[in-house]
Amino acid sequence: MPSAESDWGFICAGLPELETYLFSEELYWPLEGVNAIGQPWPRLTLGSLLLTRHRLQVRMTGVHQRVELQRWDRELETVRFRWRGAWQRKVQREIASRLRQWEAYLEEVHNDPEKQGGYFPYEVHLRVIVDLLQSELGEEGSFDISRLENLDARLKSVFLPGNFIWELDLESVFPPERFWYLWGKTEATR
């Protein structure tokens, strides 16, 4: 999981490009520059921004950090409101893409549980992103909810409820009532 500094750097790199990204054909937008350890930034998507923002909610606790996060939230909300149609189209495209990726991973777990189950704590970020994007859909947006329900049923058939699987500081922003799939592991997860 990225550090707060890395997450903040990602937001700072992505926010200036957000409007251009919304009107591009690209779903996974490459960002310029590198992070503190010299690696390229992850590709920009609305889901990756929302997930990063969710993590920063508990990781940016200083007064200055909270002010910066509120400033970022206002900028994001301005873009979301001004370009609502473009925002909705990207959300729908990303949900479809993330569902395909999540379905492929669950298929891999089904076919080779011993090998693939260990990747669950990382791969489950795809399901989290779908959840966060789903809350972005307005009345004009939709996606195949039955597909998500089928994938959740598939996961539940091999899921063992238990402890939170990400860093403990994130527990409060990913409660089990909504993010149940972060509170346990697959039968094959070591």
Side-chain angles (χ1 to χ4, degrees), residues 24-166:
S24 74
E25 291 298 317
E26 294 292 322
L27 184 55
Y28 296 92
W29 185 262
L31 293 174
E32 295 292 322
V34 294
N35 64 19
I37 57 174
Q39 296 177 331
W41 293 113
R43 300 275 177 146
L44 174 67
T45 68
L46 295 180
S48 62
L49 275 179
L50 295 171
L51 178 56
T52 299
R53 171 58 183 91
H54 227 66
R55 289 191 303 251
L56 286 175
Q57 186 174 329
V58 294
R59 292 186 167 170
M60 295 188 68
T61 56
V63 173
H64 177 70
Q65 292 174 325
R66 301 301 287 178
V67 168
E68 285 298 305
L69 196 55
Q70 288 171 353
R71 180 187 60 76
W72 182 82
D73 285 344
R74 284 189 303 273
E75 289 181 39
L76 182 67
E77 189 57 35
T78 298
V79 171
R80 181 189 285 129
F81 179 76
R82 181 179 295 150
W83 308 115
R84 189 70 184 163
W87 184 278
Q88 288 292 300
R89 286 187 293 279
K90 284 288 194 206
V91 165
Q92 289 177 294
R93 284 184 58 206
E94 188 172 354
I95 288 174
S97 175
R98 299 298 186 169
L99 283 175
R100 281 191 301 275
Q101 294 168 342
W102 183 233
E103 185 173 31
Y105 172 69
L106 291 178
E107 186 65 26
E108 290 171 1
V109 169
H110 175 76
N111 292 335
D112 193 351
E114 293 301 315
K115 181 178 179 185
Q116 299 300 324
Y119 295 108
F120 182 77
Y122 171 76
E123 296 293 340
V124 74
H125 84 279
L126 298 166
R127 179 62 181 86
V128 173
I129 287 174
V130 168
D131 198 321
L132 295 173
L133 289 169
Q134 190 177 355
S135 65
E136 290 292 309
L137 289 175
E139 292 177 12
E140 64 276 9
S142 67
F143 75 102
D144 186 358
I145 191 72
S146 64
R147 183 175 182 194
L148 178 60
E149 290 169 347
N150 289 337
L151 294 174
D152 282 350
R154 180 182 235 179
L155 176 59
K156 285 177 182 177
S157 73
V158 296
F159 191 76
L160 303 170
N163 295 326
F164 188 68
I165 61 172
W166 284 353

Side-chain angles (χ1 to χ4, degrees), residues 51 54-55 128 132 164 166 170-180 182-183:
L51 178 56
H54 227 66
R55 289 191 303 251
V128 173
L132 295 173
F164 188 68
W166 284 353
L170 299 175
E171 281 182 329
S172 65
V173 292
F174 295 104
E177 300 80 23
R178 177 175 176 188
F179 300 96
W180 59 270
L182 291 176
W183 293 80

